[in-house]
Amino acid sequence: MARLSRLALSTRVAASLLGAVFFMPMAAQKARAADGPLVVARAMDINSLDPARGYCDTCQIYLSAVYATLLTLAADNQTIIPAVAKSWEVSPDVTTFTFHLDPAATFSDGSPVTAADVKWSLERLKNVKGGPSYLMDSLKSVEAKDDKTVVITTSTPNSEFLGILAAPYTGIINSKVASANGANAKADAATSDTSDTWFLANSAGAGPFVLEKYTADDQLRLARNEKYWGKKPAISGVVLKQTADAVTQAQMLQSGAADIAMQVDPDTAKTVSAPDATFKAVPSFNYVYAAISPAAKGAPVPLTKEVREAIALALDYQGLIDFTVGGEGKEQSSAIPNGYPGTKDLPAPVFNVEKAKELLAKAGHPDGFAMELEFPAMNVYGVDLSLLAQKVQQDLGKVGIKLSLKPVPFTVWASDIDNPGVPFALGFFAPDYFGSAQYVQYFGMMPDMPWAKRAGVGKVPGLDGKEQLAMYQKALAATDAAGQEKAYHDLAMKMIDDKIILPLVSPNLVLAYRNDVSGVRYSACCNLPLGEIEKK
Amino acid sequence: MLKVVLRRLLVMPFLLLGIVTATFLLAQFTKGNPLISIIGARNLDNAEIVAAAKARWGLDGSVPERYATYVWNLAHGDLGTSFRTKQPVLTDLAQRLPATLELVICAMFVGAVGGIVLAIVSAEFKDSFADHLARLVALLGSCLPVFWLGLIALFLFTVQTKLLPGPGRLDIRAVAPPTVTGFMLVDTLLAGNWSAFVDALRHLILPALVLGWSVMGIITRMVRASMLDVLGQDYITMARAKGAGRLRVLIHHALANALIPALTILGFTFAYLITGSVLVETIFSWPGIGSYAVDAARSLDYPAITGVTIIGGLGFLLANLLTDIAYAAADPRMREAG
């Protein structure tokens, strides 16, 4: 009898413990979920939380939530609207920009945002020489005319400077607080500024949130800025949770562990059954491209204009989209993505195998040739580059070009494309801000630009670099939207004609969120504007 | 035995230096550009930004210069600063190692207890249905890919039945207790937060089961072979003839001796799991050292790569030493041979 009682007691204790482990926290979790922070599952790529040094997709989300900028981008992803600057004027020669700060703007410690803070932040961004410092390449001077007026001068006309000032990397920092913790804006800030670590644990911005805690590779916690001068966020805080795997992200969304999943690819989204969640595919400005570099060592045949054109014609663009993202994407005509200045009414890429064969024969390669395709072995924007490479291999095989695939780590790819050079490669690009200049600076065939150097501008026939440079200068000097549109359109047409950069897939972005969450949208400057999100 | 231990401890720093040197040189000569994680791939053509980054992160010197600086700093307890996380590598490791150890200890418990129980059943009922079933369970754990198992486990227990929580060490919305040891189970108890302790325990169940099952196969195989060997010995027959109970013979007489050869595999399995838990860490968003190592390797984060290797190397050396000590403690012949 005694033995039975002990057994019964042990069983009850074990059952209670199991009950506690399995069921007790579920009720508590439900209670917390309602008024707790918003949870965003994403594969984080943070390399710094300092606006002048951070340079990544997650940085865009964090910086736009914590550091207010002079200007920002409206929900239409095209219109520049006021933020810290409530109004501005641009000189007729597009070199002088005067901003009038909103007197209500304050930092998270309650102190006002001054012209001196703007001057300090922009000069520091330039001088720290971090990832996003290139945005300030054309900055000549910043003058704090009075406490609430800033005059910025650029060394050359820059019709895109307003777009640049909407990039989260140009966020205004509380200069007094940051200076007291090792930051500075001096010319030697690249080595003398020692605030990197401080920014990992603290924030000093005028955005809707403040940094609560950052644990690298685990989570980034933000709390509502209770002294925010704009419309206060509806949510008390945000947790960005490191979740590397897309399927795990989807499962977290299904189970309610996450409110938003940021990198669920279109294929995964189709397989998920979640009545409590919304999966909405929206066009993005991200894309994957193929790049032909005629000047790179190792090209099996001269990659002349005819050969490049044949390659471009042999690619089945719609097939590439169907094969890699199940049709959830769109074709892109030029290296400037659809929807950016200059892309209206651009001709769609053409797929014509017969014409491609004809051109190859004309170029002296009727039987084709063998070539290597090097690409980073990774999945980017939901596109598996290995799959994409296989489809490219298949397409080019039909015109006699036998591709051998060379997947490499991203760090190796980034090194190889410059040294020794890669004749045929796959790459990818996402915007840093709303404006077409960043694409021309990276992909344009102009002296000293990255892909122009790789392609051999000035050495390869037809790629002299002068024509596009003149067009680019004209675009930067454009004084109105129509002029800018026309100038970038001409540039885009020229870039299409070069057949150096062949955009392959612009995948849709899947916005995946629980049904009790609203205000989720994709922003070209800020990725996911957290301040606009609400939760029932 | 004491002499052996002292000798091992004296040799350890030199072995570690060898590991550091090999890793440092391999990382330096690996193709790729580490500046990507510092300034981004788009800036690699910007000479000004590249020069500033090289100067700031000590990449502008020659390899021998950098090696000398690294070893000098290492001798002073400085493992450098990670290019990727921008934190001292020592801080990074201190944050991640307890997470991995907590997971690995629980997984080892699952793997060892499960493996030994299966091995006993398998050996005692050799060639029976129970034997085949036990071996199949162990074999499946070794064969099924852990990332697949992890995803299936998450789907079944968090999405479908909602019995267990999703990824992470604690409910994502909850605020973690103050870090004292880095072991979530211990820290939640130290904070007197019982519900957080239960939550941490619930978060541990799935990854520990998945990881533990993956090593159960090798443990079962080793212990089973050893048990079969021991069960055929005369002293076991004698114990049975003297009327000792079945369980007593199995546990007291057979298992105690059969475990000695298995100690080696247990030691190495533990060391292997510390650096080999990366897939489980990835699937369960577990902020441990495995995923840190992979991210470091992907981004050519030299200081982090070397830091992880030192910890991994140290783990293997210590596991080896502890295995030998445990071996000696369990087998008097080893002590005498010492």
Side-chain angles (χ1 to χ4, degrees):
Chain A
M1 189 64 195
R3 279 172 70 97
L4 272 177
S5 301
R6 272 205 297 275
L7 187 66
L9 188 69
S10 311
T11 312
R12 276 180 199 164
V13 170
S16 311
L17 268 173
L18 272 175
V21 168
F22 278 91
F23 299 111
M24 189 188 89
M26 287 167 80
Q29 194 172 323
K30 272 180 193 159
R32 273 198 301 271
D35 57 353
L38 181 93
V39 176
V40 181
R42 71 170 278 125
M44 293 199 279
D45 52 350
I46 292 171
N47 65 344
S48 173
L49 295 181
D50 177 348
R53 292 193 173 102
Y55 191 50
C56 61
D57 289 352
T58 314
C59 305
Q60 289 182 325
I61 299 171
Y62 168 75
L63 295 175
S64 58
V66 171
Y67 294 90
T69 42
L70 280 176
L71 307 169
T72 192
L73 194 60
D76 66 359
N77 272 329
Q78 290 191 334
T79 315
I80 303 293
I81 56 172
V84 169
K86 65 173 184 173
S87 63
W88 62 90
E89 295 104 40
V90 181
S91 68
D93 65 351
V94 213
T95 58
T96 307
F97 304 81
T98 306
F99 297 93
H100 306 283
L101 308 190
D102 190 327
T106 55
F107 288 111
S108 55
D109 65 355
S111 60
V113 179
T114 65
D117 291 310
V118 176
K119 175 180 162 67
W120 187 88
S121 301
L122 296 182
E123 286 177 348
R124 179 170 178 272
L125 174 58
K126 184 182 175 83
N127 294 333
V128 153
K129 295 186 176 61
S133 295
Y134 83 96
L135 294 170
M136 291 295 115
D137 274 354
S138 68
L139 184 74
K140 189 178 168 190
S141 67
V142 188
E143 187 196 343
K145 217 170 172 187
D146 61 47
D147 217 28
K148 295 290 172 190
T149 312
V150 187
V151 181
I152 301 174
T153 313
T154 56
S155 50
T156 50
N158 194 340
S159 58
E160 286 211 338
F161 201 67
L162 296 180
I164 288 175
L165 290 177
Y169 306 110
T170 64
I172 312 303
I173 303 169
N174 187 331
S175 58
K176 271 188 200 143
V177 174
S179 298
N181 289 284
N184 76 66
K186 293 177 202 158
D188 65 350
T191 48
S192 62
D193 184 298
T194 55
S195 59
D196 234 12
T197 316
W198 184 81
F199 275 103
L200 292 175
N202 304 275
S203 61
F209 292 93
V210 292
L211 174 64
E212 190 182 341
K213 193 179 181 188
Y214 171 56
T215 314
D217 300 334
D218 183 14
Q219 53 179 241
L220 174 64
R221 299 184 82 96
L222 309 180
R224 181 168 48 210
N225 174 5
E226 298 300 346
K227 293 181 179 162
Y228 186 49
W229 51 282
K231 189 189 167 202
K232 277 205 177 66
I235 43 178
S236 62
V238 181
V239 182
L240 290 168
K241 173 68 184 164
Q242 166 65 19
T243 315
D245 185 65
V247 179
T248 311
Q249 286 187 16
Q251 289 182 342
M252 286 170 71
L253 194 69
Q254 282 176 292
S255 68
D259 298 301
I260 299 174
M262 288 206 68
Q263 289 132 328
V264 176
D265 54 88
D267 276 349
T268 304
K270 279 176 190 163
T271 63
V272 177
S273 156
D276 298 335
T278 300
F279 291 82
K280 193 166 79 181
V282 295
S284 76
F285 299 116
N286 308 329
Y287 66 92
V288 181
Y289 59 89
I292 306 170
S293 301
K297 285 175 197 160
V301 298
L303 297 169
T304 59
K305 178 82 184 295
E306 276 167 341
V307 173
R308 300 199 302 267
E309 249 183 79
I311 291 174
L313 284 166
L315 294 169
D316 171 10
Y317 297 92
Q318 190 53 50
L320 287 165
I321 295 169
D322 293 341
F323 192 66
T324 53
V325 287
E328 286 292 349
K330 55 187 184 324
E331 293 178 1
Q332 187 176 307
S333 309
S334 75
I336 303 174
N338 303 334
Y340 269 51
T343 56
K344 210 175 161 193
D345 301 327
L346 285 176
V350 179
F351 168 48
N352 187 335
V353 175
E354 291 314 311
K355 177 89 175 145
K357 283 181 181 167
E358 235 174 72
L359 282 171
L360 277 179
K362 207 171 146 194
H365 315 293
D367 301 322
F369 53 87
M371 189 164 61
E372 206 170 58
L373 174 65
E374 183 168 327
F375 58 94
M378 60 198 285
N379 187 310
V380 59
Y381 322 132
V383 179
D384 183 334
L385 295 188
S386 297
L387 265 185
L388 181 70
Q390 285 169 36
K391 174 68 176 142
V392 171
Q393 183 185 41
Q394 207 178 58
D395 286 354
L396 294 191
K398 287 175 186 162
V399 295
I401 300 175
K402 292 169 274 298
L403 281 188
S404 53
L405 306 185
K406 188 183 176 190
V408 293
F410 180 58
T411 49
V412 174
W413 176 86
S415 168
D416 279 356
I417 54 173
D418 283 320
N419 184 24
V422 178
F424 195 35
L426 295 182
F428 54 90
F429 201 93
D432 289 336
Y433 63 93
F434 179 71
S436 299
Q438 62 192 311
Y439 296 93
V440 183
Q441 285 168 359
Y442 195 64
F443 297 115
M445 293 298 112
M446 305 184 293
D448 298 326
M449 298 303 169
W451 276 107
K453 280 194 275 185
R454 291 162 198 156
V457 157
K459 292 180 239 165
V460 172
L463 299 177
D464 69 353
K466 289 173 194 160
E467 193 184 353
Q468 284 191 29
L469 182 62
M471 293 164 98
Y472 178 55
Q473 284 163 347
K474 195 176 162 190
L476 287 178
T479 51
D480 56 14
Q484 208 182 11
E485 175 69 28
K486 166 87 176 66
Y488 281 117
H489 189 273
D490 293 346
L491 250 171
M493 287 300 289
K494 187 74 188 76
M495 287 162 83
I496 293 172
D497 188 51
D498 287 335
K499 296 285 181 284
I500 296 293
I501 302 295
L502 312 174
L504 301 177
V505 181
S506 175
N508 287 343
L509 189 85
V510 178
L511 297 176
Y513 50 92
R514 303 276 301 172
N515 291 341
D516 57 357
V517 173
S518 58
V520 180
R521 71 172 175 95
Y522 165 64
S523 162
C525 73
C526 313
N527 217 314
L528 178 71
L530 295 174
E532 298 173 18
I533 296 172
E534 294 186 16
K535 198 177 162 193
K536 281 174 204 154
Chain B
M1 187 63 205
L2 189 66
K3 270 186 193 170
V4 175
V5 173
L6 283 174
R7 204 161 54 220
R8 290 277 185 87
L9 286 173
L10 279 174
V11 172
M12 214 175 266
F14 296 100
L15 286 172
L16 277 176
L17 184 67
I19 291 169
V20 167
T21 307
T23 315
F24 185 90
L25 293 177
L26 277 173
Q28 301 294 325
F29 293 113
T30 299
K31 210 175 168 189
N33 196 331
L35 287 175
I36 290 170
S37 56
I38 301 171
I39 55 171
R42 285 179 209 173
N43 283 310
L44 293 179
D45 286 275
N46 190 323
E48 214 182 353
I49 290 179
V50 166
K54 278 188 172 176
R56 183 175 168 79
W57 292 91
L59 292 166
D60 51 352
S62 64
V63 172
E65 277 169 358
R66 278 187 269 160
Y67 175 72
T69 308
Y70 186 80
V71 174
W72 175 257
N73 290 340
L74 189 62
H76 292 80
D78 179 5
L79 292 177
T81 302
S82 162
F83 297 163
R84 201 173 55 82
T85 67
K86 308 291 187 289
Q87 291 190 131
V89 172
L90 213 54
T91 308
D92 279 348
L93 294 176
Q95 276 174 0
R96 288 160 179 79
L97 195 58
T100 296
L101 282 176
E102 192 169 45
L103 173 62
V104 166
I105 289 169
C106 292
M108 267 308 287
F109 180 76
V110 170
V113 172
I116 289 169
V117 169
L118 288 177
I120 293 171
V121 170
S122 188
E124 178 64 7
F125 302 103
K126 188 171 176 272
D127 293 333
S128 69
F129 174 73
D131 176 25
H132 296 315
L133 186 68
R135 286 160 70 188
L136 181 71
V137 170
L139 189 72
L140 280 177
S142 302
C143 297
L144 294 174
V146 285
F147 67 88
W148 182 83
L149 264 182
L151 287 174
I152 294 294
L154 276 173
F155 180 72
L156 288 178
F157 292 101
T158 74
V159 178
Q160 289 296 313
T161 61
K162 295 192 174 13
L163 276 175
L164 288 167
R169 297 180 77 192
L170 211 56
D171 175 29
I172 304 167
R173 293 178 179 89
V175 177
T179 304
V180 180
T181 62
F183 289 81
M184 199 58 86
L185 292 178
V186 179
D187 288 351
T188 47
L189 282 182
L190 289 176
N193 192 339
W194 171 249
S195 67
F197 171 79
V198 174
D199 190 31
L201 190 62
R202 281 161 48 82
H203 276 83
L204 251 173
I205 294 174
L206 284 184
L209 279 177
V210 169
L211 196 58
W213 195 14
S214 73
V215 294
M216 213 178 268
I218 182 112
I219 295 171
T220 306
R221 211 159 48 239
M222 283 292 295
V223 178
R224 180 182 181 273
S226 194
M227 277 290 282
L228 284 175
D229 187 38
V230 170
L231 285 173
Q233 300 282 323
D234 290 345
Y235 73 90
I236 296 289
T237 314
M238 174 65 80
R240 282 184 171 148
K242 283 173 79 178
R246 191 176 198 175
L247 211 59
R248 184 172 168 76
V249 170
L250 278 176
I251 308 294
H252 188 75
H253 295 286
L255 185 64
N257 287 308
L259 273 183
I260 296 171
L263 281 175
T264 318
I265 199 74
L266 285 175
F268 278 104
T269 303
F270 187 81
Y272 158 77
L273 282 179
I274 289 178
T275 49
S277 56
V278 57
L279 288 173
V280 171
E281 288 183 4
T282 304
I283 295 298
F284 288 93
S285 301
W286 200 265
I289 212 160
S291 46
Y292 180 71
V294 170
D295 288 337
R298 269 195 198 137
S299 54
L300 279 185
D301 185 350
Y302 299 149
I305 292 171
T306 320
V308 171
T309 313
I310 291 171
I311 292 296
L314 198 63
F316 267 94
L317 292 174
L318 285 176
N320 203 2
L321 183 67
L322 289 175
T323 306
D324 284 352
I325 293 171
Y327 219 100
D331 189 346
R333 289 169 300 181
M334 289 299 293
R335 279 201 294 273
E336 282 156 21

